[in-house]
Amino acid sequence: MRKLRTGTRMMRAIRVSEFGAPSVLKLCSDVKVPQAGHRQVLIRVHACGVNPVETYIRAGMFARRPNLPYTPGDDAAGVVEAVGEGVAALKAGDRVFTTATETGAYAEFTIAAEDSVHKLPDVLDFKQGAAIGVPYFTAHRALIHKGCAKAGQTVLIHGASGGVGVAACQLSRALGLRVLGTAGTPEGMKLVLNNGAHLAFNHREKGYIDKIMEATDGKGIDVIVEMLSNVNLSKDLQMLAYGGRVMIVGCRGPIEINPRDTMFKESSITGVSLFSATPEEKQESAAFLYAGMEAGWLRPVVGSQYPFDNAAQAHHDIIESPGATGKIVLTI
């Protein structure tokens, strides 16, 4: 951060001036430090998380398009620099993480609404803090608010070694579910087993679906949390138990399904969007997840780490890498 002669504080931030490939992510050093307004918090960012949805937004492929230019990101972790009028629960110096931002997380400073800022326990570092927001709140929404998962049921986390997948494994285990997870590499499978899954399967192996069905004694899956529905949805429907539910968390394109696969089992497909959560749902998720931090079962797994100015490579790798192993984080 630097100051101009006028006293205006400047910061570095990643800016997007046109939708397109990862190369449109540009590091700018002349961005004004934003000011906290009513019920807003200014945070000095130490680390920020990278989520797949941010690549879709950057490419112009997401339903919600920001006005250009913009700074990407919602998962920031850092220290409160200042608070705006009306903020009572937070103060300068507090260690925090966010579930959404007003000005973007890929920056040295970010503004977030008070209800999107949560205190970060001392036992977690800033990189772990940057891995909490979108992944854990999405996992809780998919499992509880939309999937209505109950203790004793069987859940399949399809793509369990990434940020949301690891979060869903940990939450599912804490909720008393029987947890099955898939990953694309041996390293990913080990990660899944170390974070709550009872069984792990390699979704690149031929016949892995048969192995999953054998693990349920042919009864099928009650809830599937799906990270790549454009590849897996048709198979998911065939794996469901009676009344089973598929929660669509991730999708990169269209897929053809046979609706008959839902009829006999009276199964359902539900989209999951954290952007649609009500304030009450956000508060419920926050309370549950903070309890998980206190109890020790919520343990964010940080995967690949990139310096702040290498955001373009992080965006490339989160989509193109052969197998995820935790949450991708930018360090600032």
Side-chain angles (χ1 to χ4, degrees), residues 154-188:
T154 299
V155 62
L156 172 66
I157 316 299
H158 217 160
S161 62
V164 176
V166 168
C169 285
Q170 293 177 1
L171 265 71
S172 295
R173 190 64 177 258
L175 290 165
L177 298 165
R178 184 163 185 254
V179 189
L180 312 182
T182 75
T185 65
E187 182 184 8

PDB file of all heavy atoms in Angstrom, residues 154-188:
ATOM      1  N   THR A 154     -26.941 -42.132   3.853  1.00  0.00           N
ATOM      2  CA  THR A 154     -25.686 -42.243   3.107  1.00  0.00           C
ATOM      3  C   THR A 154     -25.553 -41.075   2.145  1.00  0.00           C
ATOM      4  O   THR A 154     -26.483 -40.767   1.391  1.00  0.00           O
ATOM      5  CB  THR A 154     -25.634 -43.565   2.316  1.00  0.00           C
ATOM      6  OG1 THR A 154     -25.698 -44.662   3.228  1.00  0.00           O
ATOM      7  CG2 THR A 154     -24.343 -43.661   1.507  1.00  0.00           C
ATOM      8  N   VAL A 155     -24.395 -40.420   2.174  1.00  0.00           N
ATOM      9  CA  VAL A 155     -24.128 -39.300   1.284  1.00  0.00           C
ATOM     10  C   VAL A 155     -22.933 -39.647   0.406  1.00  0.00           C
ATOM     11  O   VAL A 155     -21.974 -40.286   0.857  1.00  0.00           O
ATOM     12  CB  VAL A 155     -23.858 -37.999   2.075  1.00  0.00           C
ATOM     13  CG1 VAL A 155     -22.627 -38.125   2.963  1.00  0.00           C
ATOM     14  CG2 VAL A 155     -23.697 -36.803   1.136  1.00  0.00           C
ATOM     15  N   LEU A 156     -23.013 -39.263  -0.856  1.00  0.00           N
ATOM     16  CA  LEU A 156     -21.885 -39.382  -1.783  1.00  0.00           C
ATOM     17  C   LEU A 156     -21.426 -37.987  -2.158  1.00  0.00           C
ATOM     18  O   LEU A 156     -22.218 -37.189  -2.683  1.00  0.00           O
ATOM     19  CB  LEU A 156     -22.288 -40.149  -3.047  1.00  0.00           C
ATOM     20  CG  LEU A 156     -21.238 -40.159  -4.176  1.00  0.00           C
ATOM     21  CD1 LEU A 156     -19.991 -40.932  -3.759  1.00  0.00           C
ATOM     22  CD2 LEU A 156     -21.819 -40.731  -5.463  1.00  0.00           C
ATOM     23  N   ILE A 157     -20.173 -37.676  -1.866  1.00  0.00           N
ATOM     24  CA  ILE A 157     -19.577 -36.408  -2.280  1.00  0.00           C
ATOM     25  C   ILE A 157     -18.842 -36.689  -3.586  1.00  0.00           C
ATOM     26  O   ILE A 157     -17.777 -37.311  -3.583  1.00  0.00           O
ATOM     27  CB  ILE A 157     -18.599 -35.853  -1.220  1.00  0.00           C
ATOM     28  CG1 ILE A 157     -19.178 -35.979   0.194  1.00  0.00           C
ATOM     29  CG2 ILE A 157     -18.235 -34.420  -1.548  1.00  0.00           C
ATOM     30  CD1 ILE A 157     -20.455 -35.246   0.433  1.00  0.00           C
ATOM     31  N   HIS A 158     -19.436 -36.271  -4.684  1.00  0.00           N
ATOM     32  CA  HIS A 158     -18.878 -36.585  -6.005  1.00  0.00           C
ATOM     33  C   HIS A 158     -17.902 -35.482  -6.404  1.00  0.00           C
ATOM     34  O   HIS A 158     -18.285 -34.439  -6.925  1.00  0.00           O
ATOM     35  CB  HIS A 158     -20.013 -36.691  -7.038  1.00  0.00           C
ATOM     36  CG  HIS A 158     -19.787 -37.761  -8.047  1.00  0.00           C
ATOM     37  ND1 HIS A 158     -20.790 -38.312  -8.816  1.00  0.00           N
ATOM     38  CD2 HIS A 158     -18.656 -38.400  -8.435  1.00  0.00           C
ATOM     39  CE1 HIS A 158     -20.297 -39.238  -9.623  1.00  0.00           C
ATOM     40  NE2 HIS A 158     -19.001 -39.298  -9.408  1.00  0.00           N
ATOM     41  N   GLY A 159     -16.622 -35.713  -6.142  1.00  0.00           N
ATOM     42  CA  GLY A 159     -15.593 -34.692  -6.278  1.00  0.00           C
ATOM     43  C   GLY A 159     -15.261 -34.151  -4.906  1.00  0.00           C
ATOM     44  O   GLY A 159     -15.466 -32.972  -4.605  1.00  0.00           O
ATOM     45  N   ALA A 160     -14.744 -35.055  -4.045  1.00  0.00           N
ATOM     46  CA  ALA A 160     -14.651 -34.755  -2.611  1.00  0.00           C
ATOM     47  C   ALA A 160     -13.308 -34.183  -2.171  1.00  0.00           C
ATOM     48  O   ALA A 160     -13.148 -33.866  -0.996  1.00  0.00           O
ATOM     49  CB  ALA A 160     -14.947 -36.029  -1.812  1.00  0.00           C
ATOM     50  N   SER A 161     -12.350 -34.038  -3.073  1.00  0.00           N
ATOM     51  CA  SER A 161     -11.023 -33.611  -2.643  1.00  0.00           C
ATOM     52  C   SER A 161     -10.763 -32.125  -2.825  1.00  0.00           C
ATOM     53  O   SER A 161      -9.709 -31.623  -2.460  1.00  0.00           O
ATOM     54  CB  SER A 161      -9.943 -34.410  -3.392  1.00  0.00           C
ATOM     55  OG  SER A 161     -10.025 -34.172  -4.790  1.00  0.00           O
ATOM     56  N   GLY A 162     -11.734 -31.386  -3.390  1.00  0.00           N
ATOM     57  CA  GLY A 162     -11.589 -29.943  -3.539  1.00  0.00           C
ATOM     58  C   GLY A 162     -12.092 -29.202  -2.312  1.00  0.00           C
ATOM     59  O   GLY A 162     -12.420 -29.808  -1.285  1.00  0.00           O
ATOM     60  N   GLY A 163     -12.204 -27.886  -2.421  1.00  0.00           N
ATOM     61  CA  GLY A 163     -12.593 -27.073  -1.275  1.00  0.00           C
ATOM     62  C   GLY A 163     -13.965 -27.414  -0.723  1.00  0.00           C
ATOM     63  O   GLY A 163     -14.125 -27.686   0.470  1.00  0.00           O
ATOM     64  N   VAL A 164     -14.995 -27.420  -1.581  1.00  0.00           N
ATOM     65  CA  VAL A 164     -16.347 -27.756  -1.135  1.00  0.00           C
ATOM     66  C   VAL A 164     -16.419 -29.231  -0.754  1.00  0.00           C
ATOM     67  O   VAL A 164     -17.092 -29.599   0.211  1.00  0.00           O
ATOM     68  CB  VAL A 164     -17.388 -27.426  -2.219  1.00  0.00           C
ATOM     69  CG1 VAL A 164     -18.784 -27.866  -1.769  1.00  0.00           C
ATOM     70  CG2 VAL A 164     -17.388 -25.943  -2.537  1.00  0.00           C
ATOM     71  N   GLY A 165     -15.711 -30.083  -1.496  1.00  0.00           N
ATOM     72  CA  GLY A 165     -15.751 -31.518  -1.222  1.00  0.00           C
ATOM     73  C   GLY A 165     -15.215 -31.876   0.151  1.00  0.00           C
ATOM     74  O   GLY A 165     -15.837 -32.646   0.895  1.00  0.00           O
ATOM     75  N   VAL A 166     -14.061 -31.325   0.501  1.00  0.00           N
ATOM     76  CA  VAL A 166     -13.488 -31.577   1.828  1.00  0.00           C
ATOM     77  C   VAL A 166     -14.429 -31.058   2.909  1.00  0.00           C
ATOM     78  O   VAL A 166     -14.673 -31.725   3.922  1.00  0.00           O
ATOM     79  CB  VAL A 166     -12.097 -30.921   1.952  1.00  0.00           C
ATOM     80  CG1 VAL A 166     -11.628 -30.922   3.406  1.00  0.00           C
ATOM     81  CG2 VAL A 166     -11.090 -31.663   1.072  1.00  0.00           C
ATOM     82  N   ALA A 167     -14.979 -29.865   2.690  1.00  0.00           N
ATOM     83  CA  ALA A 167     -15.921 -29.304   3.658  1.00  0.00           C
ATOM     84  C   ALA A 167     -17.130 -30.219   3.819  1.00  0.00           C
ATOM     85  O   ALA A 167     -17.582 -30.473   4.947  1.00  0.00           O
ATOM     86  CB  ALA A 167     -16.372 -27.911   3.202  1.00  0.00           C
ATOM     87  N   ALA A 168     -17.661 -30.730   2.704  1.00  0.00           N
ATOM     88  CA  ALA A 168     -18.836 -31.603   2.758  1.00  0.00           C
ATOM     89  C   ALA A 168     -18.519 -32.910   3.475  1.00  0.00           C
ATOM     90  O   ALA A 168     -19.367 -33.439   4.211  1.00  0.00           O
ATOM     91  CB  ALA A 168     -19.347 -31.878   1.343  1.00  0.00           C
ATOM     92  N   CYS A 169     -17.323 -33.434   3.288  1.00  0.00           N
ATOM     93  CA  CYS A 169     -16.924 -34.650   4.011  1.00  0.00           C
ATOM     94  C   CYS A 169     -16.893 -34.414   5.510  1.00  0.00           C
ATOM     95  O   CYS A 169     -17.431 -35.206   6.297  1.00  0.00           O
ATOM     96  CB  CYS A 169     -15.552 -35.122   3.534  1.00  0.00           C
ATOM     97  SG  CYS A 169     -15.524 -35.910   1.917  1.00  0.00           S
ATOM     98  N   GLN A 170     -16.267 -33.326   5.931  1.00  0.00           N
ATOM     99  CA  GLN A 170     -16.164 -33.034   7.359  1.00  0.00           C
ATOM    100  C   GLN A 170     -17.544 -32.794   7.977  1.00  0.00           C
ATOM    101  O   GLN A 170     -17.851 -33.313   9.056  1.00  0.00           O
ATOM    102  CB  GLN A 170     -15.254 -31.827   7.580  1.00  0.00           C
ATOM    103  CG  GLN A 170     -13.802 -32.083   7.213  1.00  0.00           C
ATOM    104  CD  GLN A 170     -12.929 -30.845   7.381  1.00  0.00           C
ATOM    105  OE1 GLN A 170     -13.390 -29.780   7.801  1.00  0.00           O
ATOM    106  NE2 GLN A 170     -11.652 -30.974   7.042  1.00  0.00           N
ATOM    107  N   LEU A 171     -18.378 -32.016   7.290  1.00  0.00           N
ATOM    108  CA  LEU A 171     -19.717 -31.748   7.800  1.00  0.00           C
ATOM    109  C   LEU A 171     -20.546 -33.027   7.875  1.00  0.00           C
ATOM    110  O   LEU A 171     -21.237 -33.277   8.868  1.00  0.00           O
ATOM    111  CB  LEU A 171     -20.431 -30.732   6.908  1.00  0.00           C
ATOM    112  CG  LEU A 171     -20.354 -29.257   7.339  1.00  0.00           C
ATOM    113  CD1 LEU A 171     -18.948 -28.715   7.141  1.00  0.00           C
ATOM    114  CD2 LEU A 171     -21.363 -28.430   6.555  1.00  0.00           C
ATOM    115  N   SER A 172     -20.478 -33.843   6.819  1.00  0.00           N
ATOM    116  CA  SER A 172     -21.279 -35.069   6.769  1.00  0.00           C
ATOM    117  C   SER A 172     -20.923 -36.003   7.918  1.00  0.00           C
ATOM    118  O   SER A 172     -21.803 -36.596   8.552  1.00  0.00           O
ATOM    119  CB  SER A 172     -21.070 -35.779   5.429  1.00  0.00           C
ATOM    120  OG  SER A 172     -21.550 -35.000   4.352  1.00  0.00           O
ATOM    121  N   ARG A 173     -19.633 -36.127   8.183  1.00  0.00           N
ATOM    122  CA  ARG A 173     -19.203 -36.994   9.280  1.00  0.00           C
ATOM    123  C   ARG A 173     -19.701 -36.450  10.620  1.00  0.00           C
ATOM    124  O   ARG A 173     -20.184 -37.214  11.478  1.00  0.00           O
ATOM    125  CB  ARG A 173     -17.684 -37.126   9.266  1.00  0.00           C
ATOM    126  CG  ARG A 173     -17.126 -38.193  10.211  1.00  0.00           C
ATOM    127  CD  ARG A 173     -17.588 -39.604   9.820  1.00  0.00           C
ATOM    128  NE  ARG A 173     -17.006 -40.615  10.673  1.00  0.00           N
ATOM    129  CZ  ARG A 173     -15.980 -41.395  10.314  1.00  0.00           C
ATOM    130  NH1 ARG A 173     -15.444 -41.285   9.091  1.00  0.00           N
ATOM    131  NH2 ARG A 173     -15.512 -42.300  11.140  1.00  0.00           N
ATOM    132  N   ALA A 174     -19.619 -35.133  10.785  1.00  0.00           N
ATOM    133  CA  ALA A 174     -20.081 -34.522  12.036  1.00  0.00           C
ATOM    134  C   ALA A 174     -21.587 -34.668  12.211  1.00  0.00           C
ATOM    135  O   ALA A 174     -22.084 -34.708  13.341  1.00  0.00           O
ATOM    136  CB  ALA A 174     -19.698 -33.044  12.065  1.00  0.00           C
ATOM    137  N   LEU A 175     -22.309 -34.780  11.102  1.00  0.00           N
ATOM    138  CA  LEU A 175     -23.771 -34.898  11.137  1.00  0.00           C
ATOM    139  C   LEU A 175     -24.243 -36.333  11.321  1.00  0.00           C
ATOM    140  O   LEU A 175     -25.441 -36.582  11.401  1.00  0.00           O
ATOM    141  CB  LEU A 175     -24.372 -34.324   9.850  1.00  0.00           C
ATOM    142  CG  LEU A 175     -24.281 -32.802   9.684  1.00  0.00           C
ATOM    143  CD1 LEU A 175     -24.561 -32.403   8.242  1.00  0.00           C
ATOM    144  CD2 LEU A 175     -25.249 -32.107  10.634  1.00  0.00           C
ATOM    145  N   GLY A 176     -23.314 -37.272  11.370  1.00  0.00           N
ATOM    146  CA  GLY A 176     -23.688 -38.663  11.580  1.00  0.00           C
ATOM    147  C   GLY A 176     -24.088 -39.412  10.333  1.00  0.00           C
ATOM    148  O   GLY A 176     -24.765 -40.447  10.398  1.00  0.00           O
ATOM    149  N   LEU A 177     -23.661 -38.936   9.173  1.00  0.00           N
ATOM    150  CA  LEU A 177     -23.960 -39.605   7.908  1.00  0.00           C
ATOM    151  C   LEU A 177     -22.903 -40.660   7.588  1.00  0.00           C
ATOM    152  O   LEU A 177     -21.778 -40.600   8.094  1.00  0.00           O
ATOM    153  CB  LEU A 177     -23.997 -38.577   6.771  1.00  0.00           C
ATOM    154  CG  LEU A 177     -25.058 -37.484   6.878  1.00  0.00           C
ATOM    155  CD1 LEU A 177     -24.744 -36.356   5.918  1.00  0.00           C
ATOM    156  CD2 LEU A 177     -26.446 -38.042   6.606  1.00  0.00           C
ATOM    157  N   ARG A 178     -23.267 -41.611   6.749  1.00  0.00           N
ATOM    158  CA  ARG A 178     -22.272 -42.530   6.189  1.00  0.00           C
ATOM    159  C   ARG A 178     -21.724 -41.845   4.949  1.00  0.00           C
ATOM    160  O   ARG A 178     -22.469 -41.541   4.016  1.00  0.00           O
ATOM    161  CB  ARG A 178     -22.894 -43.875   5.827  1.00  0.00           C
ATOM    162  CG  ARG A 178     -21.856 -44.888   5.339  1.00  0.00           C
ATOM    163  CD  ARG A 178     -22.390 -46.302   5.382  1.00  0.00           C
ATOM    164  NE  ARG A 178     -21.349 -47.257   5.038  1.00  0.00           N
ATOM    165  CZ  ARG A 178     -21.283 -47.900   3.878  1.00  0.00           C
ATOM    166  NH1 ARG A 178     -22.204 -47.713   2.949  1.00  0.00           N
ATOM    167  NH2 ARG A 178     -20.298 -48.749   3.651  1.00  0.00           N
ATOM    168  N   VAL A 179     -20.428 -41.601   4.925  1.00  0.00           N
ATOM    169  CA  VAL A 179     -19.828 -40.700   3.943  1.00  0.00           C
ATOM    170  C   VAL A 179     -19.003 -41.469   2.914  1.00  0.00           C
ATOM    171  O   VAL A 179     -18.025 -42.138   3.268  1.00  0.00           O
ATOM    172  CB  VAL A 179     -18.933 -39.642   4.632  1.00  0.00           C
ATOM    173  CG1 VAL A 179     -18.491 -38.589   3.625  1.00  0.00           C
ATOM    174  CG2 VAL A 179     -19.669 -39.000   5.809  1.00  0.00           C
ATOM    175  N   LEU A 180     -19.406 -41.354   1.655  1.00  0.00           N
ATOM    176  CA  LEU A 180     -18.642 -41.894   0.537  1.00  0.00           C
ATOM    177  C   LEU A 180     -18.142 -40.720  -0.286  1.00  0.00           C
ATOM    178  O   LEU A 180     -18.877 -39.757  -0.519  1.00  0.00           O
ATOM    179  CB  LEU A 180     -19.517 -42.806  -0.340  1.00  0.00           C
ATOM    180  CG  LEU A 180     -20.368 -43.871   0.372  1.00  0.00           C
ATOM    181  CD1 LEU A 180     -21.119 -44.715  -0.655  1.00  0.00           C
ATOM    182  CD2 LEU A 180     -19.515 -44.745   1.263  1.00  0.00           C
ATOM    183  N   GLY A 181     -16.910 -40.787  -0.745  1.00  0.00           N
ATOM    184  CA  GLY A 181     -16.348 -39.691  -1.523  1.00  0.00           C
ATOM    185  C   GLY A 181     -15.595 -40.182  -2.733  1.00  0.00           C
ATOM    186  O   GLY A 181     -15.070 -41.300  -2.737  1.00  0.00           O
ATOM    187  N   THR A 182     -15.553 -39.370  -3.783  1.00  0.00           N
ATOM    188  CA  THR A 182     -14.761 -39.713  -4.959  1.00  0.00           C
ATOM    189  C   THR A 182     -13.682 -38.658  -5.182  1.00  0.00           C
ATOM    190  O   THR A 182     -13.816 -37.503  -4.793  1.00  0.00           O
ATOM    191  CB  THR A 182     -15.617 -39.803  -6.243  1.00  0.00           C
ATOM    192  OG1 THR A 182     -15.970 -38.478  -6.691  1.00  0.00           O
ATOM    193  CG2 THR A 182     -16.873 -40.634  -6.020  1.00  0.00           C
ATOM    194  N   ALA A 183     -12.590 -39.087  -5.804  1.00  0.00           N
ATOM    195  CA  ALA A 183     -11.496 -38.199  -6.192  1.00  0.00           C
ATOM    196  C   ALA A 183     -10.862 -38.786  -7.444  1.00  0.00           C
ATOM    197  O   ALA A 183     -11.143 -39.926  -7.823  1.00  0.00           O
ATOM    198  CB  ALA A 183     -10.479 -38.062  -5.065  1.00  0.00           C
ATOM    199  N   GLY A 184      -9.990 -38.001  -8.084  1.00  0.00           N
ATOM    200  CA  GLY A 184      -9.422 -38.436  -9.347  1.00  0.00           C
ATOM    201  C   GLY A 184      -7.989 -38.920  -9.275  1.00  0.00           C
ATOM    202  O   GLY A 184      -7.424 -39.337 -10.282  1.00  0.00           O
ATOM    203  N   THR A 185      -7.398 -38.872  -8.072  1.00  0.00           N
ATOM    204  CA  THR A 185      -6.009 -39.307  -7.895  1.00  0.00           C
ATOM    205  C   THR A 185      -5.885 -40.065  -6.582  1.00  0.00           C
ATOM    206  O   THR A 185      -6.692 -39.854  -5.654  1.00  0.00           O
ATOM    207  CB  THR A 185      -5.043 -38.109  -7.873  1.00  0.00           C
ATOM    208  OG1 THR A 185      -5.324 -37.309  -6.712  1.00  0.00           O
ATOM    209  CG2 THR A 185      -5.178 -37.258  -9.123  1.00  0.00           C
ATOM    210  N   PRO A 186      -4.858 -40.921  -6.444  1.00  0.00           N
ATOM    211  CA  PRO A 186      -4.622 -41.585  -5.151  1.00  0.00           C
ATOM    212  C   PRO A 186      -4.416 -40.597  -4.018  1.00  0.00           C
ATOM    213  O   PRO A 186      -4.886 -40.811  -2.900  1.00  0.00           O
ATOM    214  CB  PRO A 186      -3.362 -42.418  -5.415  1.00  0.00           C
ATOM    215  CG  PRO A 186      -3.389 -42.686  -6.893  1.00  0.00           C
ATOM    216  CD  PRO A 186      -3.961 -41.430  -7.502  1.00  0.00           C
ATOM    217  N   GLU A 187      -3.718 -39.493  -4.313  1.00  0.00           N
ATOM    218  CA  GLU A 187      -3.505 -38.468  -3.293  1.00  0.00           C
ATOM    219  C   GLU A 187      -4.832 -37.862  -2.851  1.00  0.00           C
ATOM    220  O   GLU A 187      -5.068 -37.646  -1.659  1.00  0.00           O
ATOM    221  CB  GLU A 187      -2.591 -37.366  -3.861  1.00  0.00           C
ATOM    222  CG  GLU A 187      -2.263 -36.270  -2.860  1.00  0.00           C
ATOM    223  CD  GLU A 187      -1.439 -35.151  -3.473  1.00  0.00           C
ATOM    224  OE1 GLU A 187      -1.258 -35.147  -4.710  1.00  0.00           O
ATOM    225  OE2 GLU A 187      -0.976 -34.286  -2.712  1.00  0.00           O
ATOM    226  N   GLY A 188      -5.708 -37.612  -3.822  1.00  0.00           N
ATOM    227  CA  GLY A 188      -7.015 -37.070  -3.503  1.00  0.00           C
ATOM    228  C   GLY A 188      -7.852 -38.029  -2.678  1.00  0.00           C
ATOM    229  O   GLY A 188      -8.557 -37.625  -1.743  1.00  0.00           O
TER     230      GLY A 188
END
